[in-house]
Amino acid sequence: MARVAVVTGGTRGIGQAISVALKKKGFRVAANYGGNDTAARQFQADTGIPVYKWDVSDYAACEKGVASVTRELGAIDVLVNNAGITRDGMLHRMTKESWDAVMHTNLDSVFNMSRLVIEGMRNRKYGRIVNISSINGRKGQMGQANYSAAKAALLGFTKAVAQENAARGVTVNVIAPGYIGTEMVAAMPKDVLDTKVLPLIPVGRLGTVEEIARCVTFLADEEAGFITGACLDANGGQYMA
């Protein structure tokens, strides 16, 4: 029977590409989303992938969501923590609300979802958790103290949980994408993109959502069992650690 994969923020952008790529690899995919019902319905119609709406920053909502997916598709073997938001601003102007919103959605959600699937994975002695960080969690970014902090925290979380669960057949890895051609990046002024972003990327272009999705399917594969606690930088050479 096909393994079940859950992708948070799985109906748009990078998450959409991940959901589609996992389905093509034979997984039974559940795409979580938080708010855009129209986009989610269109995604489901286009792909045939079932969608599930819940707020990943809310632990009780995650409990209900995970229970619903498990009941309808089966035990969750793969979790991709992709959901994320930005609330940019320099620290001396950043509001507590902006800090909290990013921390709740980008970091608390990873605890919520991972905590709710980890016991089942340990009991079945198999699991794959892939966390989506960012180049800005690796190097920091002016105007993104909240986002950079949350994405950097995923690196420590990944390494700790990888150590805890390696002997139980559960791998935990993180991917740190660079600038990817999503709607958000595409909305940048062309002169800013051409003069301040692309010149910093050695390969000379933005990444694609499909390239990030291929990173996920690689780490989610049964044959990737010797890779855990790793960070896969997919940034065109912009940042090398």
Side-chain angles (χ1 to χ4, degrees), residues 17-49:
I18 292 170
S19 295
V20 170
L22 286 170
K23 181 182 179 182
K24 288 180 178 177
K25 289 291 185 179
F27 291 90
R28 302 183 71 192
V29 179
N32 154 268
Y33 75 103
N36 194 325
D37 293 320
T38 300
R41 284 194 294 269
Q42 187 62 53
F43 167 83
Q44 180 167 305
D46 291 342
T47 66
I49 296 172

Side-chain angles (χ1 to χ4, degrees), residues 34 40 135 229:
I135 187 175

Side-chain angles (χ1 to χ4, degrees), residues 55-85:
D55 178 0
V56 288
S57 71
D58 182 324
Y59 189 82
C62 289
E63 282 187 304
K64 293 178 181 177
V66 167
S68 180
V69 172
T70 301
R71 182 173 59 252
E72 295 175 18
L73 300 183
I76 297 168
D77 300 300
V78 175
L79 169 64
V80 182
N81 286 307
N82 168 74
I85 62 170

Side-chain angles (χ1 to χ4, degrees), residues 22-203:
L22 286 170
K23 181 182 179 182
K24 288 180 178 177
K25 289 291 185 179
F27 291 90
R28 302 183 71 192
V29 179
N32 154 268
Y33 75 103
N36 194 325
D37 293 320
T38 300
R41 284 194 294 269
Q42 187 62 53
F43 167 83
Q44 180 167 305
D46 291 342
T47 66
I49 296 172
V51 298
Y52 295 81
K53 183 179 183 180
W54 75 82
D55 178 0
V56 288
S57 71
D58 182 324
Y59 189 82
C62 289
E63 282 187 304
K64 293 178 181 177
V66 167
S68 180
V69 172
T70 301
R71 182 173 59 252
E72 295 175 18
L73 300 183
I76 297 168
D77 300 300
V78 175
L79 169 64
V80 182
N81 286 307
N82 168 74
I85 62 170
T86 57
R87 296 289 185 273
D88 294 351
M90 303 292 274
L91 181 62
H92 60 280
R93 297 193 185 99
M94 186 175 291
T95 65
K96 183 66 163 61
E97 290 74 19
S98 292
W99 176 271
D100 287 344
V102 169
M103 286 296 165
H104 292 331
T105 299
N106 296 19
L107 182 57
D108 290 355
S109 65
V110 177
F111 167 80
N112 294 342
M113 292 299 299
S114 301
R115 178 64 184 87
L116 289 165
V117 302
I118 195 66
E119 287 188 77
M121 290 179 175
R122 287 173 59 87
N123 290 338
R124 294 188 302 276
K125 296 186 178 180
Y126 183 86
R128 299 282 184 266
I129 296 176
V130 182
N131 300 315
I132 307 300
S133 179
S134 166
I135 187 175
N136 294 340
R138 298 285 268 165
K139 69 175 186 61
Q141 177 61 41
M142 183 173 67
Q144 287 195 325
N146 49 4
Y147 184 83
S148 296
K151 291 300 188 178
L154 295 187
L155 300 175
F157 177 91
T158 294
K159 292 176 182 179
V161 180
Q163 291 178 53
E164 292 174 0
N165 295 282
R168 304 292 296 186
V170 181
T171 67
V172 189
N173 293 290
V174 61
I175 297 168
Y179 281 87
I180 308 301
T182 60
E183 290 180 14
M184 181 174 66
V185 173
M188 296 174 63
K190 187 176 186 305
D191 62 317
V192 173
L193 188 65
D194 290 343
T195 62
K196 295 186 177 180
V197 176
L198 292 177
L200 299 178
I201 305 174
V203 303

